[in-house]
Amino acid sequence: MTETDIVLPQSVVNIGEGAFSGCTSLEGYTVPNHVKTVGDYAFQNCEKMKAVVIKPSVKSIGNGAFNGCTSMTGVVFEEGDETLSLGCNYYNGNGGSALGKGMFYDCPLQSVFVGRPLTYHYWYGYSPFARIETLTKGHFGNPVKAIPDYLFYSVKNLKTIVYNENCKLESIGKYAFGDCKSLPTQKLHNTITVIDEGAFSNCVLFTDFDLPENLMTIGSHAFENCTGLTMLKIPATTKSIGNYAYNGCDGITSVTVKWTKPISIYSETFSNRTNAVLEVPHGSVAAYKAANYWKEFKVIIEAGEDPISVLKGDMDGDGVLDVNDVQMLINVILGRK
């Protein structure tokens, strides 16, 4: 059976459970625009199926729909405004706990196109595309405003993310790109207001880039262990930065902020702060020197100041110019020990 052999009348709105299971000659399929649901195991063990296209009319795809599709390299969710609900590959509930694998866990996917909002349950990080080692490219369409939690979690060979020209992304979900160790630095849309917990954690190839101008929230662990970051500029719109947001970012040497009054941070928000320069707005140095954890930066300077010249009078080497430095300088001048 090939795709041309499958002709579904307009009256058919549901592809039932196991409808095409075991169709080993089916090499690809476009789910028609009049179909609303795809049942459990609908295309299970279609071993030669290389690609599937899901039209915007489809509202849900059941569990195990593509189990055993061991030749599938491409998935397209065409653009649409309605949310598509996705099942899982495998589920085992036990006394309230759950273990599972994402819908395409069996498939050697290379690229995916997400043109509409997605919803799914995930168990221990298994989203539809999590942990698929063959996946290298993700593409997002215009209606997508939020990248859901764990979408590309631990896709270790993901190298390319593409957004359609008019895509207005607003949020990046929890661990959406966490542990994507091959993902290079991303240019983030200025429409993004939330980078959630662990969103880019362990993205070790990330180097310096500008955070979105309208960013309001940086979640806990958001950029944890992004070891390639050296300079960080946080926009004035940001209201909160979670604990461990930049934990393990040991290459950071400079952080620039634009709040005249420091916002609250945690002990491990910036784990490398004692080795980094903090640049703050004019007239704000004293406020940051008095604020928990901000005061622990190596040196705090006003915007535009040269940290080297500021540190010339740092006699005790603590990164702060204070009365102790003055007293030590006097002692040197007077020849005292």
Side-chain angles (χ1 to χ4, degrees):
M1 178 186 291
T2 65
E3 182 169 5
T4 57
D5 297 321
I6 304 173
V7 180
L8 298 180
Q10 291 287 327
S11 58
V12 175
V13 296
N14 303 309
I15 294 178
E17 179 176 344
F20 302 106
S21 177
C23 292
T24 55
S25 60
L26 186 62
E27 296 185 359
Y29 191 65
T30 298
V31 178
N33 210 19
H34 53 84
V35 170
K36 294 184 178 180
T37 64
V38 177
D40 294 349
Y41 311 106
F43 295 93
Q44 181 176 239
N45 294 328
C46 291
E47 297 172 355
K48 293 184 180 179
M49 195 170 183
K50 297 177 182 177
V52 63
V53 177
I54 309 298
K55 293 289 186 178
S57 63
V58 180
K59 297 181 179 180
S60 68
I61 302 176
N63 295 330
F66 302 101
N67 282 11
C69 292
T70 53
S71 297
M72 185 178 291
T73 59
V75 174
V76 174
F77 299 120
E78 289 191 350
E79 289 189 347
D81 294 322
E82 286 196 61
T83 299
L84 173 62
S85 175
L86 300 177
C88 63
N89 173 294
Y90 165 81
Y91 171 74
N92 179 27
N94 182 15
S97 64
L99 297 172
K101 296 180 180 179
M103 172 167 282
F104 297 96
Y105 185 79
D106 283 349
C107 306
L109 294 180
Q110 296 176 12
S111 66
V112 299
F113 177 81
V114 179
R116 57 189 296 195
L118 300 179
T119 184
Y120 44 82
H121 296 290
Y122 53 86
W123 298 276
Y124 297 97
Y126 282 99
S127 73
F129 309 118
R131 294 186 170 93
I132 298 178
E133 295 187 358
T134 54
L135 184 56
T136 60
K137 180 179 180 180
H139 189 165
F140 293 96
N142 292 347
V144 177
K145 289 184 170 59
I147 297 179
D149 297 348
Y150 293 94
L151 187 66
F152 292 111
Y153 177 70
S154 200
V155 179
K156 296 186 184 297
N157 290 303
L158 186 68
K159 295 180 175 66
T160 305
I161 298 293
V162 178
Y163 304 93
N164 279 3
E165 185 177 356
N166 296 318
C167 183
K168 297 188 182 300
L169 195 63
E170 296 175 358
S171 66
I172 300 175
K174 295 177 181 178
Y175 295 92
F177 298 99
D179 210 31
C180 289
K181 296 183 182 296
S182 298
L183 188 65
T185 303
Q186 297 297 295
K187 180 175 175 56
L188 302 179
H189 287 62
N190 281 330
T191 52
I192 293 174
T193 60
V194 176
I195 297 175
D196 214 329
E197 177 184 345
F200 294 105
S201 58
N202 294 309
C203 288
V204 294
L205 295 187
F206 269 31
T207 53
D208 298 334
F209 65 98
D210 292 333
L211 290 169
E213 294 176 0
N214 297 301
L215 185 64
M216 297 183 67
T217 301
I218 300 174
S220 59
H221 306 274
F223 295 95
E224 186 171 30
N225 295 325
C226 290
T227 53
L229 297 178
T230 61
M231 299 173 61
L232 180 63
K233 295 181 180 180
I234 303 174
T237 53
T238 303
K239 305 298 183 186
S240 66
I241 308 175
N243 205 8
Y244 301 96
Y246 292 93
N247 182 56
C249 298
D250 295 338
I252 290 180
T253 58
S254 172
V255 176
T256 300
V257 299
K258 297 183 178 180
W259 319 288
T260 55
K261 295 181 179 180
I263 66 171
S264 296
I265 58 172
Y266 301 87
S267 61
E268 295 300 326
T269 296
F270 301 99
S271 63
N272 197 45
R273 61 187 177 276
T274 58
N275 296 314
V277 173
L278 176 63
E279 183 177 301
V280 303
H282 290 284
S284 300
V285 170
Y288 280 88
K289 284 184 177 180
N292 284 340
Y293 309 120
W294 292 112
K295 63 185 179 183
E296 296 173 9
F297 273 78
K298 178 180 179 180
V299 61
I300 303 175
I301 62 174
E302 290 189 349
E305 280 189 311
D306 179 3
I308 302 300
S309 63
V310 170
L311 285 173
K312 282 182 178 178
D314 183 17
M315 301 296 293
D316 59 7
D318 65 354
V320 179
L321 297 179
D322 54 23
V323 67
N324 291 332
D325 298 308
V326 174
Q327 187 60 57
M328 291 181 69
L329 182 59
I330 292 172
N331 290 341
V332 170
I333 294 172
L334 297 177
R336 299 172 182 169
K337 291 185 178 179

